[in-house]
C-alpha cells in the first residue's frame, strides 16, 4: 500500500506552473509545505489559498542560484515543522535559442538555475535527511534530459546534468534517501515566456499546441512520494498522449 503519512515537503519554484500545481496537490493530500520562489507576492497568495482550505503551508523568498538562500529555505522548514521529508527541486528556466545566436548570458542563467539550483537543493536537504535517517529528493527535469532538439542544446545539457546528478545521488544513497527524477514533456507553464529568440519562440508556440496541464506532473510527484519506504520510484517520464515528442 502507498505510504500516505503526512510529510514535510519543500518546493522550489513554487509560484507558478509545475511548482504551484505540486504545492496544491500535496497540500490537498495532507502534506505540510514550505514553498520558495522569487515572486513572494505570488507565494503569499498561494499560502493563503492553501491554508484557507485547511492545508498547511508557509513560504519564503528564494533565489536558487544563491546557496545561502536555499540553505535558509530548508533550515526554516526544519525549524517550523521539525523535519524535512521531501525536497522538490523544481525551479528552472528555458530561454531557448540556436547556439550561433551566442546568447551566453542566457546559457549561464540556465546553468545557474537548472544545474546549480538543483545542487544547492541537494546540498541543503541531504544532511537533514541523513541525520533523520530518511528523506526523498525529487528533481524536476524534462524530456530534454533524454533527447536534444534544435535551439535547446544548452537547456537539454542542463537537464541531462540533472538526470546524471539524480542517478549519482541514487547510487550513493544506500537506501536512506530516495531519489526520483520526473521528466515532463511539453507542459502548460511560464517557461516559454523567457524565450527571447524570435525563431525559437515561434517554434515553441507550435510545439506547445498539445500540452499537459501542470497538474499531471504534480500527480507524478504525488505518486512517487506516496510509495512505501522500501519502494524507490527512480524515473517518471510524462508526455502528452497527442505528442510524439
Amino acid at each position: 500500500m502507498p505510504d500516505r503519512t503526512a510529510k514535510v515537503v519543500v518546493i522550489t519554484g513554487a509560484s507558478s506552473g509545475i511548482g504551484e500545481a505540486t504545492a496544491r496537490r500535496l497540500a490537498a493530500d495532507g502534506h505540510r509545505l514550505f514553498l520558495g520562489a522569487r515572486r513572494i507576492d505570488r507565494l503569499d497568495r498561494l499560502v493563503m489559498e492553501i491554508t484557507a482550505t485547511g492545508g498547511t503551508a508557509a513560504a519564503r523568498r528564494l533565489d536558487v542560484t544563491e546557496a545561502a538562500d536555499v540553505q535558509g529555505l530548508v533550515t526554516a522548514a526544519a525549524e517550523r515543522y521539525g523535519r524535512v521529508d521531501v525536497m522538490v527541486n523544481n525551479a528552472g528556466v528555458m530561454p531557448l535559442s540556436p547556439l550561433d545566436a551566442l546568447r551566453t548570458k542566457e546559457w549561464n542563467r540556465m546553468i545557474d538555475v537548472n544545474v546549480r539550483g538543483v545542487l544547492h537543493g541537494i546540498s541543503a536537504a541531504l544532511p537533514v535527511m541523513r541525520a533523520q535517517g530518511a528523506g526523498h529528493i525529487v528533481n524536476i527535469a524534462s524530456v530534454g534530459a533524454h533527447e536534444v532538439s534544435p535551439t535547446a542544446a544548452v537547456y537539454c545539457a542542463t537537464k541531462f546534468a540533472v538526470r546524471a546528478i539524480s542517478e549519482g545521488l541514487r547510487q550513493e544513497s544506500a537506501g536512506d534517501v530516495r531519489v526520483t527524477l520526473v521528466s515532463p514533456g511539453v507542459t502548460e507553464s511560464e517557461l516559454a515566456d523567457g524565450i527571447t529568440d524570435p525563431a525559437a519562440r515561434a517554434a515553441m508556440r507550435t510545439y506547445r499546441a498539445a500540452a499537459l496541464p501542470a497538474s499531471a506532473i504534480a500527480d507524478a510527484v504525488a505518486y512517487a512520494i506516496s510509495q512505501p519506504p522500501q519502494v524507490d520510484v527512480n524515473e517518471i517520464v510524462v508526455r502528452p498522449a497527442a505528442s510524439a515528442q
Side-chain angles (χ1 to χ4, degrees):
M1 292 293 291
D3 176 8
R4 302 193 184 280
T5 305
K7 295 178 170 66
V8 174
V9 184
V10 177
I11 306 174
T12 70
S15 62
S16 66
I18 291 170
E20 178 184 356
T22 300
R24 292 185 186 280
R25 168 61 198 269
L26 298 188
D29 287 349
H31 300 298
R32 296 175 290 170
L33 309 181
F34 210 104
L35 311 176
R38 289 176 300 156
R39 295 175 293 189
I40 191 63
D41 55 332
R42 290 196 180 191
L43 284 182
D44 287 342
R45 284 197 298 271
L46 178 58
V47 167
M48 288 178 61
E49 291 170 13
I50 288 172
T51 56
T53 57
T56 302
R60 178 186 174 109
R61 190 185 184 283
L62 172 71
D63 179 350
V64 296
T65 69
E66 297 291 339
D69 261 23
V70 186
Q71 183 63 64
L73 180 75
V74 171
T75 298
E79 289 176 349
R80 185 180 187 92
Y81 299 125
R83 60 188 294 113
V84 173
D85 298 299
V86 182
M87 180 75 186
V88 181
N89 290 307
N90 165 73
V93 293
M94 190 184 69
L96 304 182
S97 64
L99 289 170
D100 63 9
L102 302 179
R103 296 179 184 268
T104 56
K105 289 184 179 179
E106 293 182 353
W107 300 348
N108 288 331
R109 179 67 177 164
M110 281 188 279
I111 293 167
D112 286 343
V113 175
N114 298 356
V115 182
R116 289 194 176 95
V118 168
L119 289 171
H120 292 161
I122 292 169
S123 69
L126 193 57
V128 176
M129 293 176 178
R130 287 268 163 83
Q132 66 195 19
H136 195 156
I137 291 177
V138 179
N139 295 328
I140 306 299
S142 165
V143 291
H146 302 261
E147 58 195 32
V148 182
S149 56
T151 76
V154 178
Y155 175 74
C156 291
T158 66
K159 295 303 184 177
F160 269 74
V162 171
R163 186 181 178 200
I165 291 163
S166 301
E167 175 59 12
L169 179 60
R170 183 194 70 79
Q171 292 183 23
E172 294 172 6
S173 292
D176 58 342
V177 176
R178 297 188 289 179
V179 181
T180 299
L181 180 78
V182 179
S183 296
V186 60
T187 303
E188 295 169 357
S189 73
E190 296 178 358
L191 271 181
D193 296 348
I195 300 174
T196 60
D197 183 84
R201 193 177 184 91
M204 183 53 63
R205 281 197 295 269
T206 301
Y207 183 72
R208 294 171 70 87
L212 292 164
S215 60
I217 311 307
D219 290 343
V221 175
Y223 168 78
I225 72 169
S226 72
Q227 299 308 300
Q230 69 273 23
V231 176
D232 192 1
V233 178
N234 302 137
E235 291 197 38
I236 302 176
V237 180
V238 187
R239 292 183 173 94
S243 174
Q245 296 177 308

